[in-house]
Amino acid sequence: MSPDAGAFDAMFEMLSTAEADRVTGRYAPLADAVRELIDATIRTEADDDVVDKACTEIRAITQQLRRRTRPVGVSFRVDGRPLPLGNAVIGVCNPIAPPVVVHHDGGRCWSEFVLGCAYEGPPGRVHGGVSALVLDHMLGEAASEGLSRARFTGTISVKYLRGTPLGPLRCDAWIDRVEGVKAFARGTISDAEGVTVEAEGVFIEPAWARDGR
């Protein structure tokens, strides 16, 4: 069930541009460092003493970071637009996000990004669920006109044409058509040889967002 307007607004903390720059400048480098740590953790063949030391030091740092935390489910708005720092796809402060940086061009959006071994399914290939995650977000970006309109995923269908290799990729998404409160979006993920995954979805404007239509 989608939140009502009041509950939805309560999920956001308003920041000025300067405050947003400060938050991003402070915490995005930490997320970058943890992304490197995740990759190193997956691939390491370090000796026992190195692993034991790493475990001790990581746990100690984690305890320090937990001393001051924000509530779960709270994101930010800057100049009326969302700044989802913790988003699983685009969150620059979320180390499990690649992150995907979205560019908008009219009614289309696109991104070039890298998926490393943290996103592996079959050996050397991107997990199908990760491809679906990226496409769901990118179609949502297109359908919501850059997250400026409240339109949420109703249904999404993903077609896997071939295995998507780990490494540099591109995602494109666009609005196919709009029918009343429904926006129909389509998109693809591609590697250097062409499209590997395609998707189409229906994104619905909730009742509380329809005032003034």
Side-chain angles (χ1 to χ4, degrees):
M1 180 180 295
S2 297
D4 60 24
F8 187 74
D9 288 341
M11 296 178 182
F12 293 94
E13 179 180 335
M14 304 301 174
L15 296 180
S16 67
T17 300
E19 289 171 329
D21 289 344
R22 178 188 61 79
V23 170
T24 302
R26 174 177 292 177
Y27 299 115
L30 173 62
D32 287 338
V34 176
R35 287 187 190 100
E36 294 181 15
L37 175 63
I38 291 170
D39 183 83
T41 300
I42 293 169
R43 301 174 61 189
T44 189
E45 294 183 341
D47 294 334
D48 290 351
D49 59 337
V50 175
V51 173
D52 291 344
K53 181 181 179 182
C55 288
T56 299
E57 294 180 355
I58 290 168
R59 288 176 180 135
I61 290 295
T62 300
Q63 289 181 354
Q64 293 181 46
L65 293 173
R66 287 190 181 280
R67 289 173 184 169
R68 293 180 59 189
T69 59
R70 73 174 68 94
V72 174
V74 173
S75 190
F76 301 102
R77 280 189 182 275
V78 181
D79 295 329
R81 296 181 63 85
L83 179 67
L85 300 180
N87 184 280
V89 178
I90 62 172
V92 296
C93 294
N94 184 347
I96 70 168
V100 170
V101 178
V102 184
H103 305 275
H104 290 270
D105 183 11
R108 303 177 69 94
C109 62
W110 61 273
S111 180
E112 293 180 344
F113 53 95
V114 176
L115 294 181
C117 59
Y119 307 98
E120 186 176 61
R125 304 290 176 179
V126 176
H127 193 292
V130 173
S131 296
L133 173 69
V134 171
L135 282 162
D136 182 34
H137 184 88
M138 289 292 288
L139 267 64
E141 286 266 359
S144 66
E145 301 173 22
L147 304 183
S148 67
R149 301 190 62 163
R151 286 175 175 158
F152 299 101
T153 310
T155 61
I156 187 168
S157 176
V158 181
K159 184 177 181 180
Y160 300 91
L161 306 182
R162 58 184 172 87
T164 301
L166 296 174
L169 299 166
R170 178 182 172 109
C171 187
D172 293 89
W174 59 93
I175 293 179
D176 189 52
R177 66 189 189 279
V178 176
E179 297 178 0
V181 299
K182 297 180 180 180
F184 296 78
R186 302 182 67 184
T188 61
I189 292 177
S190 304
D191 65 2
E193 298 180 3
V195 174
T196 63
V197 190
E198 58 187 26
E200 55 184 15
V202 181
F203 294 79
I204 301 172
E205 187 175 9
W208 56 261
R210 299 172 196 170
D211 293 342
R213 283 177 57 87

